[in-house]
Amino acid sequence: MKTHKFPEDFIWGVATSAQQIEGAYDEGGRGESIWDRFAAIPGRISDGSNANRACDHYHLWRGDVELMKWLGIGAYRFSISWPRILPHGSGKINEAGLDFYDSLVDALLKAGIKPFVTLYHWDLPQKLQDHGGWVSRDTAKAFIEYTAAVTDRLGDRVADWTTHNEPWCIANLSYEEGEHAPGHRDPAEALSAAHHVMLSHGWAVEEIRRRVPGSRAGIVLNLVPVEPASGSGKDHEAARWFDGKFNRWYLDPIFRGSYPEDAIRDRVARGHLANAELPFLKVGDLDIISVPIDFLGINYYSRVIMKAEQNSGAVEKKGAPSEELTDMGWEVYPEGLYKLLSRVSRDYDPKNIYITENGAAYSDGPDESGRIRDERRVEYFRGHIESVHRAVSDGIRLKGYFAWSLLDNFEWAHGYTKRFGLYWVDYDSLRRIPKDSAFYYREVIESNSV
Ligand code: FCB
């Protein structure tokens, strides 16, 4: 097998998020998050679990930094829990919450690992949800207060800042599809939420730059390459429709300062918007949203194939033709990562790109000898890292790759049933055991090649 070398300064990392690993939901002055509230509603989390304890990273973080050292990563992407910092969303700062991240950042730096901080990875303070959550413009304002509190404390040591993780999930999955907290099903709400998330992103980028001179600020989007199921014009239209509502609805405002017109027309036709004048849009908003960013983070897991439906003319997602699916039911499609990077680079030309998440859920656990032979995950990583290499060789400004995730963790509405970790977590003892994929990733990092 041919080996492919990466540039010397290529960054290898792992990613996690606060709500998924920290636990300690009622310790250190932390306020309630929308996921605490949501998980308490019967039927919302598939295994009836919650994230109250999760991986207990809040207490075990020192050991977790050791795991990262062993892997040899150069950067760790993690998120800050807003309700730890501002238990009510705004107002009084909880210094104990900041202390936790302060110590973590120090330990990372000491270990030679760069902290990549994400400000928002879905754990909105419940108090803000009580006042409308992201549907309300006030939440965007509160986000700036929160951004200020965090950057003031960590800005002397953290240079890489992400405002939001996956606005599509924050808005559409949470307010339109009902799958994520707060579990609403209202398309009009989702569009308004999406706008306020992006508005708060733009404001936060300016706030970060003001408070942390020399820092780098960006956003993380979950993007998918969308392909028509056949060469037919109808299937092409269906693919373009999905791309508009999923990818371009976020890429266009951020990189071009406008919402995609075809997608607006579609939302009007469906009655999700009264007309093309977006009711939540105020003069100047799009200038704020399109403030230049230092990097775009892309989370990539799979592709989407679209097929126009025969009778109704409606469009649906068609299952992947390949039989290779992860436990999430997502097709393993490494080529899609290359295609996506080429497309984003060509159409939007970001200054820098990171793959901020990529990984696979497989349930493989310890065998009789205690070893975790997760070959499918190893193959998943190998294929995707090869695609990353191909993109870098093409001259795409891709500067780093973060594996999702360091640990098995609380996978949102799937509870603990989906395992994405490089480390297996025994949820009784909380012991972490490296899977074969952890050994594999360690080799990739060490040799800086695939
Ligand atoms: C992404 C999320 C992350 C994790 C992975 C599997 O959408 O950002 O928290 O749930 O999917």
Side-chain angles (χ1 to χ4, degrees):
M1 219 183 290
K2 203 166 171 282
T3 55
H4 304 287
K5 266 277 180 205
F6 280 83
E8 279 307 317
D9 57 355
F10 193 81
I11 293 176
W12 297 103
V14 295
T16 64
S17 89
Q19 182 88 41
Q20 293 178 277
I21 65 167
E22 284 181 6
Y25 76 111
D26 60 352
E27 289 179 53
R30 180 182 179 278
E32 187 187 14
S33 81
I34 54 172
W35 275 93
D36 301 343
R37 179 72 63 97
F38 189 65
I41 304 170
R44 294 303 202 164
I45 311 297
S46 70
D47 59 359
S49 67
N50 57 48
N52 293 359
R53 188 166 86 131
C55 307
D56 201 24
H57 171 76
Y58 185 76
H59 295 111
L60 302 177
W61 63 271
R62 283 187 187 79
D64 290 339
V65 173
E66 291 302 315
L67 306 183
M68 295 177 214
K69 268 165 81 174
W70 182 84
L71 285 170
I73 55 171
Y76 174 43
R77 173 177 179 253
F78 63 99
S79 78
I80 309 272
S81 159
W82 187 345
R84 272 198 202 288
I85 311 305
L86 293 157
H88 298 293
S90 69
K92 198 170 165 351
I93 294 175
N94 174 41
E95 296 298 332
L98 286 168
D99 293 343
F100 171 69
Y101 298 105
D102 205 285
S103 310
L104 176 63
V105 164
D106 281 345
L108 289 169
L109 292 172
K110 202 168 156 223
I113 299 168
K114 260 196 206 173
F116 272 57
V117 167
T118 300
L119 287 165
Y120 188 72
H121 200 130
W122 309 355
D123 44 359
L124 189 74
Q126 178 61 39
K127 266 274 159 22
L128 295 179
Q129 188 59 51
D130 296 344
H131 293 102
W134 287 108
V135 179
S136 159
R137 200 169 167 104
D138 288 341
T139 296
K141 292 185 191 145
F143 185 66
I144 305 317
E145 213 184 305
Y146 163 58
T147 300
V150 178
T151 47
D152 275 355
R153 177 66 89 88
L154 303 179
D156 57 339
R157 286 153 292 154
V158 173
D160 297 279
W161 296 87
T162 293
T163 54
H164 289 289
N165 178 71
E166 304 190 347
W168 183 85
C169 293
I170 304 170
N172 304 76
L173 209 50
S174 304
Y175 292 92
E176 181 167 18
E177 310 211 345
E179 234 178 84
H180 279 187
H184 296 187
R185 289 180 186 276
D186 182 338
E189 275 196 4
L191 296 174
S192 166
H195 185 70
H196 296 137
V197 168
M198 284 192 276
L199 179 65
S200 74
H201 152 76
W203 278 337
V205 167
E206 291 177 338
E207 192 71 14
I208 292 164
R209 294 219 170 104
R210 205 165 24 243
R211 288 176 190 267
V212 192
S215 61
R216 296 169 288 270
I219 190 167
V220 167
L221 302 180
N222 51 320
L223 300 173
V224 289
V226 190
E227 295 167 20
S230 76
S232 86
K234 285 267 173 241
D235 286 353
H236 272 276
E237 253 174 59
R240 180 158 170 79
W241 169 77
F242 190 86
D243 183 58
K245 80 173 210 151
F246 195 94
N247 295 322
R248 287 182 286 118
W249 195 267
Y250 294 94
L251 285 163
D252 282 17
I254 290 167
F255 288 98
R256 297 181 176 159
S258 60
Y259 280 103
E261 274 171 27
D262 60 321
I264 296 180
R265 275 197 304 276
D266 172 72
R267 289 294 197 171
V268 173
R270 286 167 200 269
H272 302 168
L273 289 169
N275 54 53
E277 309 303 315
L278 311 176
F280 39 77
L281 181 67
K282 295 203 176 165
V283 179
D285 281 4
L286 285 162
D287 294 332
I288 293 161
I289 293 173
S290 58
V291 57
I293 50 178
D294 298 302
F295 64 87
L296 171 68
I298 298 178
N299 292 351
Y300 175 79
Y301 288 93
S302 192
R303 70 171 158 181
V304 163
I305 297 171
M306 295 297 298
K307 171 144 194 58
E309 208 159 81
Q310 293 297 325
N311 309 322
S312 62
V315 284
E316 59 166 30
K317 269 197 247 190
K318 189 180 168 261
S322 130
E323 287 305 302
E324 262 194 272
L325 304 180
T326 68
D327 286 357
M328 297 295 278
W330 298 343
E331 180 196 4
V332 178
Y333 188 57
E335 173 90 14
L337 178 51
Y338 174 75
K339 289 186 186 164
L340 177 65
L341 283 164
S342 309
R343 184 265 174 120
V344 169
S345 192
R346 184 191 64 227
D347 291 355
Y348 298 96
D349 197 24
K351 203 166 145 196
N352 294 294
I353 303 176
Y354 292 103
I355 295 304
T356 33
E357 284 181 31
N358 176 237
Y362 292 115
S363 60
D364 314 281
D367 62 16
E368 315 76 55
S369 70
R371 177 167 163 196
I372 298 155
R373 299 170 189 269
D374 60 336
E375 281 135 57
R376 292 172 299 174
R377 185 175 289 99
V378 170
E379 283 316 307
Y380 184 98
F381 279 131
R382 192 197 313 280
H384 287 78
I385 294 172
E386 278 172 2
S387 279
V388 165
H389 187 272
R390 208 173 140 201
V392 173
S393 306
D394 278 7
I396 292 173
R397 289 187 292 276
L398 176 58
K399 299 300 165 67
Y401 173 92
F402 293 79
W404 182 270
S405 180
L406 176 67
L407 306 168
D408 291 338
N409 59 46
F410 177 74
E411 180 48 37
W412 309 111
H414 300 283
Y416 298 98
T417 63
K418 307 287 183 239
R419 292 177 176 268
F420 276 92
L422 290 163
Y423 282 83
W424 167 270
V425 174
D426 175 330
Y427 290 112
D428 292 321
S429 68
L430 293 175
R431 204 169 141 219
R432 285 87 155 117
I433 307 169
K435 302 178 187 176
D436 280 2
S437 55
F439 289 89
Y440 171 72
Y441 193 42
R442 185 177 192 245
E443 261 171 48
V444 167
I445 297 171
E446 150 85 331
S447 64
N448 196 32
S449 66
V450 65

